[in-house]
Amino acid sequence: MNDADVSKQIQQMVRFIRQEAEEKANEISVSAEEEFNIEKLQLVEAEKKKIRQEYERKEKQVDVRKKIEYSMQLNASRIKVLQAQDDLVCSMKEAASKELLNVSHHHNHHIYKKLLQALIVQSLLRLKEPSVLLRCREDDVPLVEDVLDAAKEEYAEKSQVHAPEVIVDQIYLPPAPSHHNAHGPSCSGGVVLASRDGKIVCENTLDARLEVVFRKKLPEIRKCLFGQVAV
């Protein structure tokens, strides 16, 4: 084999080695690119997942905030409705309290005297004491004294006992409400009876009677005014 043949063979071997090297380099390049694309895809998907999770978290936060705000607004509306209802009921009670003054007004003395007698008898029946203290407004003392004997006799007849001793207390109930004493204690009329030791008390003032009736009738009043609407 001459030098030309050797040189030709060497060149063939070099081309073969170079071709294999290029093919191997291409394979490595393709494999590296595939791995890179896969890793890039995984990173992209991981970031997408994080973004979705963050979005869902914030969406839930917004949803919760909306529910809280709606609940607060609803509660505020309910409170306003309840307050308006209470204001109306209170205004009715105030109107009824003012009407009580007409019961004890001077032009109704005959009716009021009968009412005082009935209130005294009822109080005596509740106390069932042989001796009691009676307290009334200072202006009502003459009226009370006018009906006291009749009241004691009526009680004695109903209870089949001796007429009790009733002492009109020198400490009086507050006067009727007026513009001069708008914020002070007041009494629209009626009586308070108590045992001599003060342990048993029967408050039978017109104001106390109104309070009892109003408290008892409050559900019925609310139903009449506001119906079955739930707030």
Side-chain angles (χ1 to χ4, degrees):
M1 181 179 297
N2 56 28
D3 291 342
D5 292 333
V6 171
S7 177
K8 186 177 180 181
Q9 191 173 8
I10 289 171
Q11 288 178 356
Q12 286 178 348
M13 290 175 66
V14 168
R15 282 197 299 271
F16 177 76
I17 292 171
R18 184 179 292 166
Q19 184 178 355
E20 275 197 340
E22 289 176 354
E23 289 177 356
K24 192 66 176 176
N26 285 334
E27 287 179 6
I28 292 171
S29 177
V30 170
S31 177
E33 188 174 358
E34 287 178 353
E35 288 178 2
F36 169 76
N37 288 334
I38 291 171
E39 188 173 351
K40 183 177 72 172
L41 185 62
Q42 288 175 342
L43 289 172
V44 169
E45 289 299 321
E47 286 300 316
K48 284 182 179 179
K49 185 177 181 181
K50 283 175 64 177
I51 292 171
R52 281 196 298 267
Q53 288 175 341
E54 182 67 15
Y55 174 78
E56 289 172 359
R57 186 181 67 81
K58 289 184 177 180
E59 189 177 32
K60 286 179 180 178
Q61 286 181 342
V62 170
D63 189 48
V64 169
R65 196 178 301 117
K66 283 182 178 178
K67 287 179 179 178
I68 292 173
E69 288 175 358
Y70 173 76
S71 179
M72 290 175 65
Q73 290 175 358
L74 185 62
N75 286 335
S77 299
R78 285 175 174 169
I79 290 170
K80 285 183 180 178
V81 171
L82 289 172
Q83 186 62 55
Q85 290 180 354
D86 286 342
D87 290 345
L88 179 57
V89 170
C90 287
S91 67
M92 287 184 61
K93 187 178 179 184
E94 288 177 8
S97 296
K98 291 177 181 177
E99 286 295 322
L100 284 180
L101 294 176
N102 294 328
V103 176
S104 58
H105 200 267
H106 62 86
H107 65 261
N108 284 329
H109 272 182
H110 179 66
I111 297 172
Y112 184 47
K113 280 174 67 174
K114 285 188 174 181
L115 177 60
L116 282 173
Q117 181 175 334
L119 292 173
I120 293 170
V121 172
Q122 186 183 58
S123 300
L124 290 171
L125 289 169
R126 288 182 180 175
L127 292 175
K128 291 182 168 57
E129 291 286 319
S131 180
V132 298
L133 288 173
L134 183 151
R135 189 173 292 181
C136 63
R137 301 184 305 183
E138 188 172 6
D139 290 345
D140 291 343
V141 171
L143 300 177
V144 168
E145 290 176 342
D146 283 349
V147 300
L148 191 54
D149 287 339
K152 291 194 292 185
E153 289 174 8
E154 185 180 343
Y155 163 73
E157 184 180 344
K158 287 183 176 181
S159 299
Q160 297 182 346
V161 297
H162 293 294
E165 178 189 20
V166 179
I167 300 170
V168 179
D169 201 344
Q170 297 302 306
I171 301 174
Y172 304 110
L173 296 177
S178 65
H179 297 295
H180 305 293
N181 190 29
H183 302 292
S186 63
C187 177
S188 300
V191 293
V192 175
L193 273 70
S195 58
R196 292 295 296 274
D197 59 9
K199 290 182 178 179
I200 309 173
V201 179
C202 178
E203 189 175 357
N204 231 352
T205 63
L206 300 185
D207 308 273
R209 299 287 298 234
L210 174 63
E211 188 66 36
V212 170
V213 171
F214 197 82
R215 194 162 51 243
K216 183 179 179 181
K217 293 289 185 179
L218 187 56
E220 190 176 330
I221 293 171
R222 286 189 173 278
K223 183 178 179 181
C224 182
L225 288 174
F226 313 120
Q228 301 292 338
V229 179
V231 292

